[in-house]
Amino acid sequence: MHLPLLPSERLRRGNFAPPDGPLALVEKQRGRMVLVAVDALALADGVAPGLTLADARARLPDLAVMPHDPAADAQLLEWLAEGCDRYTPMVMAVPPAGLVLDITGCSHIYRGEAGLADDLHRRLVRLGLTAQLALADTPDAALALAVHDMAEVGDLPVTALAVDESVHLALRRAGLLTIARLSRQHRPALAARFGEALVMLLARLTGEIDVHIVPRRPPAAIEAERRFATPLAQSEAALAVIEALAVRAGLDMAALDLGGRRFDVALFRSDGHVARLSVETAAPVRDPKLLIRLLRERIGALADPLDPGFGYDLIRLSVPVTAPMLAQQLQLSGGSLADSEIGALVDRLGARLGRGRVRRLVAADSHIPEQAAFDLPVADAAGIAWPAVQPGEPPLRPIKLFDPPQPIQVIAEVPDGPPRRFRWRRRLHEVRAHEGPERIAAEWWRRADGAGLTRDYYRVEDGEGRRFWLFRHGLYGSEKLQPGWYLHGLFA
Amino acid sequence: MTAGFAELAAATHFSFLRGASSPADMVQAAMALGHAGIGIADRNTVAGVVRAHVALREAVEAAAADGLALPVFKLIVGARLVFADGTPDIIAYPANRRGWGHLCRLLTLGNRRATKGDCILAFGDLVEFSDDLLLIMLPSDDGAPPLAELANAAPGRVWLGAAMPRAGPDKRRLHGLAGLADAAGVPLVAINAPLYATPEQRRLHDILTCIAEKTTLEAAGKRLQANAERHLKTPDEMARLFQGHPGAIAETGRILRCIGFSLDQLRYEYPNEPIPAGHSPQGWLETLTLQKARERWPDGIPPRIMALLTDEFRIIAKAGYAPYFLTVHDIVAFAQGRGILCQGRGSAANSAVCFVLGITAVDPGKHNLLFSRFISEERKEPPDIDVDFEHERREEVMQYVYERYGRDRAAIVATVIHYRPRSAVREVGKVLGLSEDVTARLTGTVWGSFAGHMEKKRFAESGFDPDAPEIARLGDLVGQILRFPRHLSQHVGGFVLTRDRLDETVPIHNAAMVDRTFIEWDKDDIDALGLMKVDVLALGMLSCIRKAFVMLETHLGRQLTLDNVPDQDGDVYDMLCRGDSIGVFQIESRAQMNMLPRLRPREFYDLVIQVAIVRPGPIQGDMVHPYLRRRQGRETVEFPSPAPPHDPDELRGVLGKTLGVPLFQEQAMKLAITAANFTPSEANQLRRAMATFRNVGTMQDFEAKMVEGMVARGYERDFAERCFRQIQGFGSYGFPESHAIAFARLVWVSSWLKHHYPAVFAAALLNSQPMGFYAPAQIVRDAREHGVEIRAIDINDSFWDNHIERNGTAMAALRLGFRQITGFREVWADRIVAARPYDSLESLARRAGLPPRALRLLADADACGSLGLDRRSAAWEALRTPDAELPLFAASGAAELGAEPDADLPLLTPGEQVAADYQTIRLSLKHHPMALIRPAFAAEKVLTCAEFAAARNGRRVKVAGVVLVRQRPGNGNAIFLTLEDESGVANVVIWARLFEIYRRPIMAARLMLVEGEVQRSPEGVVHLMASRVHDRSLALDLLSATHESRPPLARADEFIHPDQPSAHHVRRGGHPRDVRLLPAREKRILPPSRDFH
């Protein structure tokens, strides 16, 4: 099956694109914006992939434009492939927009191959996808026919063969435009000119040799599964099975000096539904106890608890992501394990509360003090370091800032002298020492007027040794007649 | 309490992407703020200092002219040395001329170490060249600067620069620096190191920073400056900032006083290579000239020439320009010795001296050109002679110059590459976070790359509201960044030569091309300082003419040179009057071809005018039609005259030769002097202001002065305004009479060749490609129309170059050469020629040792006709012919390829043949594509171009053809298109408003159908005034399922290719019909191709 409009339909499905009007997805190629995909509306108006954006705009001024996102397309294709598990386990995704299903012996439920194709087509239409389906004896032929939306292999253009552009060109120049025409050529003559690969591809397309597809879900490095003649109807029983599987997987990993970074559990229900659970860890793990605890927490945090329904007939534990892990020994001091203990805590909190809810503060690249830090999920924050403080320098910024800064009354010299005394919360402070100003201008590009007030920050100390961080808001005279003053933070 | 402060660390926009103000702005701002002086120091360069120097000079002159006294202001020039070895930056100012030499050599050393645009310096280099330099060390954040070390190397000439950037701990830092300075026994000097003149320019500086960092404002973070403090500050503010250290302020004055160097001290001295020992330059010039004159006129020098020479000798002697003429002669003599064609042009080139010395081929005795008019005795500028050489052999001349004068004394002038509207919008847009989509739309509406500035209406044209904040901001910033230098590059061919080391006058860089070096100053800087420049330029037509001369000599035994081509020949003028000028130098453009039947040239000077009249100057000054009317006798020749008491005939001398209408740049300048009372130096300033857009602000002053000046003397305002617009139109494309005369000679020679030897001329043109206006297809077609037999490329007959073959009649035939095959190589051609003849493709492959790619190209180009193989069977055969260079194959000797069953390939249709021809050799001798598509168009009552040319005036017609050229000249009110079909060409005019409606078909169509009205001028020039335009490119693709047919555009097409794939190129390379875009239930997008053949 081939999905010619996959990218635009993906956007429409997700409501990422304007609902009506033509749509195109663009990408920068050799310095120009080029259309890589369009929707049916644009196509109907003669705007097709390959045009430059400028050109397309000239034809269709109201063309909506979104960036091309091959990763998202691939994701959608994968998702569709997953769904096709219902027809056959032999599913192969052929990016950017193709799926090949080996339905040998799978079509009886659908009253034959055509019935299966119909069912698939109906489901795709329901998903808002335009699909071209074709049935053929070999995967190559089926995909080529779907892409070109044809019924006979002989009618296919030679471009259906996955060979170099130069070969296509040579074939076209020889006047061999279709597969039928090409097949009539003397095969050794073809091989002498274009190599065995072409002859092989041709044979695969015409069904002279058969090949099998490579199913898309590659076997994981470590896998353990158990099938049940009588489906398991209880979650606890299923958990016990998973624990047993975890022990088995742990032994396998230990033998290889590996630990798992990700664990997938697939619970196949007898009615065809597949429940999948997965757990990720910050450090490689193979301890079954730890694993089962994480899984239990994961299950406990599920929005919709596991429902065994009529019971599971197959449970599979796979470890798709592994990392080297040597046998570990506790150190006497325990110090070097501190990190891993924090890691374990973060794993547990993350498993229970959700990965996005355990966060860490990181520095942001901005002159504006209140924008100079923000928080990120711990996993994403790794590797972002705070800038080092120069030795001997006092802290230039307080640890906590008032939000919003607190207005104060200040006596200071004009135009840009330091504060002499100030009143905060009805209390007067005499400034005994100061440093500054640290002048920070506004981010003009964020403002409609392109200006904004400059701040003059001072670190000051009052008669009692308390230290404050305050600023004048606006340059005297040039920006503001009477600049206001604010207290932005206290130094410890 | 003004302490007398001078900013001594000012950077300009020649600190690329770091400084945000021009040198002139910096100088003017410092003067306005009351600084005692300014020091300009850019990063490892002195590229901007001449501009600062000129800005100061002009300010002083302007003040003097207004009778004002300026406060004392001193400009010192130097560079900020940025080291590659971790040394903190050091600003260096030469104390005297010797110090300047040291600085230049130091920078040259760093430049020559780097491959491109970089300058690699180490601390040790500075120590070596530190004599006579004053050094200000700038502290860096990491570690203590090597202050004591520097103070030892340059005792008493080192300062520590301290700035108060308002970063917070300023005072603590200043205190620390004072301690450091004390410890090293070095004074502290106050600086602010400004990057721009006024605080408002911070925004621009932020933009530049983002461009340099390749980021956006949103993402730039701390890479931007925290505040707007890096501007020039008032002396008061500086004094306030340095309250505790008044000495640091006072030191700026002391540094100023220590410096006794100004750029005025750079004295130019001519190299003396071309002068034999024992001769004075003037004496040798006269001896040499008279000797050559006697050779040319063995029976005695004509008195008229002798008189000219005597007069010119006097002027040259007075100005001391003899070495210049000798230098140019030296270069020209070298080229002539090598058989390289060349010709001089420029203000001094039309002198009798240049003619006699062989620098030009224009006889001044015949053309009444007064030399003294062209060497201005008032302006102290050196004379100007540009010499054009054959474009393919100019490099030989350039290397000769390097060799003769040495790399330390000869280098090419720089060209400052500026931001253009297109690049400015793109880069600023990117920084502002506008998507590529938006900036592409904005730049997409800029037609041509030479739009001088980004007009507001361009923004509006692209559908954006110019007042929306983002767009207004973009427009504002783009306006500021335009004309900013981006980087330095080498000038096309301007050489600076000196007697002494050039690198003690100006730093030298490696150019991107190997074996080239260039200096940091551009030609205006050179002019401003009075240095000498010789332009060694490349001209394609000279290559073409030489190739034609060589062919004539070998095939016909006729020896021709630029100055012995017969210069009166009515038949040649008849040809030109018909507008039959494809391939002829300069007058082959559409506009020129339309002008020819109107102007009807009959003598040489008519060609001079023809060359000059179709230019932005006369067109924008609305001078073309008045001239034509007068020439055709439809208007009386009269001279604009002032009111009494002025001489009513004062313009007769200026405009006499051009029937009272100013056409040349000199005339416009002379007009400003005579009619508007400009001084010669003002007129010159005006010309320069126009050419370089340098002083955009002063333009209105000039306009007022000129127009009001003329009106005040009693000229009509309309005439005065037109004259000014004309000067504006000259802009950087000013076209003086002296250039027009030099070009007209080449026009004549090429016309003469085209008329008398069309086959030779066409072959020479093709062999000199790329050059000129037209693609090979049009050149070949034109030759055919002139009765030349064109023979196809063949492996047994062709050479690399196109050449002439005898055919039965007197007319020679043109055999196309292998060079016409796209992607073919000269070495392959040579091997083919060496091992001829061939009887099979296999023997060709083996004996000529051709790689498979070469064989395939030959087969696809249908060059195997003499083997009895058509294109398709040859290609099929070539595919299996193994690589001749494989050792195994070579060892086995004659490994015959086995016989194969007949491949039974389908026969090529005519459409496929034509498409394949276009794809491989970009022209077809078999058919015109339109001839094959004609039946479809005939049904639509579309006229052929020939029928159109014969249609009566005012008739409404349809014409279709392949698009050759699209142009939007001058003011852009109209678009000119040329369509071509099997019968000829049709010229289409589209008004701008129609263009807005039909933008897409006009921009995208390769094959176009135009409906409109026939407009026939009295001279018989026929245009189609378009009313509707249709893109019919699809029909071209239907010619062939097997080849893309893309008839080439002429080289002159101005339209910036969106390289448009038509609606069907969906997957790479797929043919339209291979690809189905819609589900099968939809109808097919394209009909099958067999409808057409």
Side-chain angles (χ1 to χ4, degrees), chain B residues 15-199:
Chain B
S15 291
F16 299 113
L17 297 181
R18 287 192 168 85
S21 290
S22 68
D25 285 352
M26 276 292 183
V27 168
Q28 282 153 7
M31 292 174 88
L33 289 176
H35 284 217
I38 190 169
I40 300 284
D42 283 310
R43 292 172 64 89
N44 289 341
T45 181
V46 294
V49 299
V50 181
R51 288 157 197 244
H53 182 73
V54 170
L56 178 59
R57 188 163 74 191
E58 282 173 359
V60 171
E61 279 170 8
D66 296 344
L68 299 173
L70 279 186
V72 177
F73 185 87
K74 184 164 176 179
L75 168 70
I76 62 174
V77 296
R80 180 188 185 123
L81 305 174
V82 180
F83 295 91
D85 63 353
T87 310
D89 294 0
I90 294 172
I91 293 179
Y93 289 111
N96 48 35
R97 174 66 181 87
R98 195 164 162 268
W100 177 258
H102 282 174
L103 179 62
C104 290
R105 283 178 66 182
L106 175 63
L107 292 174
T108 302
L109 181 72
N111 291 336
R112 299 293 307 269
R113 275 186 194 139
T115 46
K116 201 176 175 237
D118 219 356
C119 181
I120 300 171
L121 288 175
F123 185 69
D125 301 328
L126 172 63
V127 171
E128 188 186 336
F129 285 104
S130 64
D131 280 3
D132 298 300
L133 291 179
L134 305 192
L135 304 168
I136 303 174
M137 179 163 262
L138 304 175
S140 70
D141 287 337
D142 32 63
L147 199 53
E149 223 177 306
L150 189 65
N152 281 338
R157 288 180 282 115
V158 174
W159 283 261
L160 182 62
M164 297 287 276
R166 289 194 158 116
D170 285 359
K171 287 217 170 110
R172 254 189 302 140
R173 298 241 166 94
L174 182 60
H175 187 72
L177 290 177
L180 270 177
D182 269 357
V186 156
L188 204 62
V189 59
I191 58 172
N192 191 44
L195 300 169
Y196 35 88
T198 63

Side-chain angles (χ1 to χ4, degrees), chain A residues 235-471:
Chain A
S235 295
E236 269 313 304
L239 269 175
V241 173
I242 295 170
E243 191 164 353
L245 290 174
V247 172
R248 224 159 78 196
L251 287 173
D252 290 350
M253 287 190 282
L256 296 167
D257 282 338
L258 289 176
R261 292 284 311 277
R262 184 178 155 167
F263 301 87
D264 291 342
V265 177
L267 300 140
F268 291 81
R269 246 162 41 183
S270 49
D271 60 355
H273 176 86
V274 187
R276 293 183 194 276
L277 289 173
S278 70
V279 182
E280 283 180 79
T281 64
V285 162
R286 61 171 176 250
D287 177 6
K289 284 204 181 62
L290 177 58
L291 190 58
I292 207 76
R293 200 170 69 208
L294 289 174
L295 276 171
R296 276 178 194 276
E297 271 160 11
R298 185 83 200 85
I299 293 168
L302 282 182
D304 48 338
L306 283 182
D307 172 16
F310 299 107
Y312 304 111
D313 56 4
L314 166 66
I315 297 177
R316 180 189 297 145
L317 170 70
S318 51
V319 191
V321 184
T322 58
M325 181 181 171
L326 296 173
Q328 258 193 351
Q329 206 176 357
L330 274 181
Q331 287 195 348
L332 284 177
S333 67
S336 76
L337 279 186
D339 276 351
S340 70
E341 277 165 18
I342 291 176
L345 176 65
V346 168
D347 289 344
R348 285 190 65 187
L349 288 173
R352 183 172 299 175
L353 304 172
R355 170 177 182 284
R357 297 182 62 185
V358 187
R359 302 174 82 84
R360 177 172 174 176
L361 284 174
V362 292
D365 187 18
S366 172
H367 288 295
I368 307 293
E370 62 271 26
Q371 290 165 8
F374 64 107
D375 54 67
L376 273 185
V378 177
D380 299 338
I384 305 182
W386 285 86
V389 181
Q390 290 221 342
E393 280 289 302
L396 296 176
R397 306 275 162 99
I399 288 180
K400 280 184 158 180
L401 297 176
F402 290 125
D403 180 23
Q406 307 199 348
I408 49 175
Q409 285 84 49
V410 176
I411 306 291
E413 237 176 78
V414 290
D416 50 9
R420 295 289 171 215
R421 67 177 68 91
F422 66 95
R423 186 182 293 278
W424 176 47
R425 290 183 181 163
R426 280 177 292 168
R427 202 176 143 188
L428 198 63
H429 300 264
E430 285 292 329
V431 174
R432 288 292 158 82
H434 76 272
E435 184 171 272
E438 179 181 358
R439 187 165 285 185
I440 297 175
E443 296 182 322
W444 55 270
W445 59 90
R446 289 187 205 277
R447 305 176 54 93
D449 61 357
L453 297 179
T454 302
R455 305 179 198 171
D456 267 352
Y457 278 93
Y458 292 89
R459 298 164 56 223
V460 302
E461 185 176 311
D462 72 0
E464 289 159 61
R466 284 178 297 216
R467 294 178 177 187
F468 305 87
W469 203 43
L470 34 95
F471 69 91

Side-chain angles (χ1 to χ4, degrees), chain B residues 917-968:
Chain B
D917 279 339
Y918 275 108
Q919 203 169 25
T920 53
I921 60 174
R922 287 163 296 163
L923 58 91
S924 178
L925 301 176
K926 300 184 180 81
H927 300 277
H928 191 279
M930 280 299 293
L932 301 171
I933 314 173
R934 180 60 62 191
F937 283 117
E940 291 184 54
K941 296 204 171 63
V942 171
L943 301 188
T944 63
C945 290
E947 288 163 350
F948 158 72
R952 72 180 154 74
N953 192 25
R955 185 179 158 195
R956 297 200 55 80
V957 297
K958 291 184 195 170
V959 176
V962 168
V963 179
L964 284 192
V965 190
R966 278 165 280 212
Q967 284 177 308
R968 188 178 200 172

